[in-house]
Amino acid sequence: MKMSGVALPRIGLGMAALGRPGYINLGRDTIFGKDGRDIEKMQTQANLVLDTLFEKSLELPWIDCARSYGLSEKFVGEYLKNNNIDPDKVYVSSKWGYTYVADWQVSLEKGAPHEVKDHSVANFLKQLEETNELIGDYVNLYQIHSATFESGVMDNADIHKALHECREKRGWKIGLSVSSPKQDQIIRRAMEIEVDGKKLFDSVQCTYNLLEQRPGPALLEAHNAGMDIIIKEGLANGRTLRNDSIAEYAKKLACAPDSLALGCILAQPFQPRVLSGAVTPEQLESNLKASEVCQTLQSDPTLLEAIMKDCLMESETYWTDRSNLA
């Protein structure tokens, strides 16, 4: 198994916005334009950001993909192989459970999905082989993508067994990602699941940020139970960058708003690892400075508490606003 005895990286690069042309992040047209998102251009942009990750990261470079992030696994696999990156010199996580169906279109007809969920055993085995073909030598962690009660995956003993067998056979850690106002409930249910006397889930990837803080207590419980805590959407799809309170605190601390927003997450007691959604080298470099901000905030817990309190939104409102970004 890879990574034995090696500290897990705290900040990684999520490929959701680099592996496909359409995504909900605010300000996307400013960076990519409305027409310049063909596969070659997107892969070139992904390579630039990956170059920055390997050049600027002070820890083991970490990349997070998914089967539904367009061509993210293909882009990452080709980058790692073309640059002769040893599997022990990178941490790679990916996800299964959604199939990308947007055919490389930036936008679709109203109501048409970019991805389709299927948490069946058959789809797991299919997507497992697809992931293995593209990045199998590099994978450290394989996650259920957006586990929900409604999909049935939390109570499906057959899929639990298949995930357990994957861990035993391949040495990949097994995790789940969660979304929606029910994240805390799903996390607590995940902590209960065992196969052959062993806890099934090694990690959880959760939406948590200055605006959406509801999962915090559940994440602390999971951390105390030994789970690896990964945070996605730490900038709330760009919404934290348009928040006046965050901008004011960042000005006082002489840091960028994105560095502050991610630094506040890193400083949480559940000791999370955080994914950057950067799509340019400059964005990633700024995101990586969150580690410095984290140290400042940990030395001044009163300030951290004030920032968290001033930026908090109601969870239901947060998710309603997020759905309107799509």
Side-chain angles (χ1 to χ4, degrees):
M1 184 184 294
K2 291 173 56 185
M3 299 296 297
S4 177
V6 179
L8 296 177
R10 294 295 305 280
I11 302 179
L13 175 64
M15 294 294 294
L18 284 167
R20 57 188 175 186
Y23 194 57
I24 64 174
N25 282 358
L26 296 172
R28 194 164 169 80
D29 288 348
T30 303
I31 296 169
F32 290 108
K34 293 187 177 181
D35 302 313
R37 305 187 199 177
D38 61 45
I39 292 175
E40 183 178 355
K41 288 181 179 179
M42 289 294 294
Q43 185 165 16
T44 297
Q45 187 68 22
N47 288 344
L48 287 173
V49 182
L50 287 166
D51 282 342
T52 302
L53 177 69
F54 278 84
E55 291 169 5
K56 301 295 183 179
S57 180
L58 299 178
E59 54 192 359
L60 195 71
W62 167 27
I63 311 164
D64 184 71
C65 303
R67 288 301 307 141
S68 62
Y69 293 171
L71 298 176
S72 67
E73 290 183 339
K74 177 179 183 293
F75 289 175
V76 169
E78 291 180 358
Y79 179 90
L80 296 175
K81 293 167 187 174
N82 291 341
N83 287 278
N84 298 310
I85 306 295
D86 188 283
D88 289 328
K89 301 300 182 183
V90 62
Y91 185 100
V92 176
S93 49
S94 195
K95 311 177 201 72
W96 71 275
Y98 277 96
T99 299
Y100 179 69
V101 295
D103 194 30
W104 211 257
Q105 300 299 308
V106 175
S107 59
L108 304 175
E109 293 183 9
K110 187 173 179 60
H114 284 254
E115 53 192 14
V116 175
K117 178 183 285 190
D118 180 356
H119 283 162
S120 67
V121 173
N123 192 50
F124 166 68
L125 295 175
K126 172 180 176 291
Q127 294 197 316
L128 173 64
E129 289 307 317
E130 292 168 345
T131 295
N132 188 58
E133 182 177 348
L134 294 168
I135 54 172
D137 290 341
Y138 297 95
V139 173
N140 298 91
L141 169 66
Y142 207 45
Q143 305 152 101
I144 303 172
H145 198 167
S146 193
T148 62
F149 294 120
E150 291 77 11
S151 77
V153 72
M154 302 306 295
D155 295 304
N156 186 331
D158 290 335
I159 193 63
H160 299 168
K161 181 179 178 181
L163 290 166
H164 175 71
E165 290 176 350
C166 173
R167 178 170 56 191
E168 294 296 303
K169 177 182 177 180
R170 300 179 185 273
W172 299 357
K173 297 290 187 180
I174 295 298
L176 75 164
S177 75
V178 294
S179 295
S180 86
K182 296 181 181 179
Q183 290 185 118
D184 51 351
Q185 298 175 41
I186 300 167
I187 292 168
R188 291 186 172 109
R189 170 62 185 131
M191 293 169 60
E192 299 172 346
I193 299 173
E194 296 185 357
V195 178
D196 292 344
K198 296 181 180 179
K199 294 289 186 181
L200 177 59
F201 294 109
D202 302 296
S203 77
V204 60
Q205 184 175 141
C206 178
T207 294
Y208 179 93
N209 52 59
L210 285 173
L211 308 182
E212 162 61 324
Q213 301 174 31
R214 174 185 278 181
L219 291 171
L220 184 57
E221 293 169 26
H223 165 70
N224 290 338
M227 290 182 75
D228 174 25
I229 308 300
I230 297 172
I231 300 303
K232 60 185 174 73
E233 299 188 9
L235 298 181
N237 305 109
R239 283 184 281 163
T240 57
L241 306 182
R242 302 184 180 187
N243 183 286
D244 291 340
S245 294
I246 296 171
E248 188 63 30
Y249 278 114
K251 185 176 180 180
K252 291 179 180 178
L253 289 169
C255 67
D258 63 288
S259 303
L260 174 62
L262 297 180
C264 287
I265 298 170
L266 287 171
Q268 294 305 306
F270 45 83
Q271 299 182 26
R273 303 196 287 137
V274 178
L275 287 166
S276 161
V279 294
T280 69
E282 295 78 14
Q283 287 180 353
L284 181 57
E285 287 193 56
S286 187
N287 288 177
L288 291 172
K289 293 177 182 177
S291 295
E292 302 170 15
V293 178
C294 170
Q295 293 177 1
T296 299
L297 294 170
Q298 287 178 327
S299 67
D300 190 348
T302 301
L303 175 60
L304 175 61
E305 182 180 358
I307 297 172
M308 300 299 293
K309 182 178 179 180
D310 287 349
C311 298
L312 176 65
M313 287 180 66
E314 288 292 331
S315 188
E316 287 76 10
T317 302
Y318 175 89
W319 287 100
T320 297
D321 290 350
R322 184 188 184 280
S323 67
N324 291 332
L325 296 176

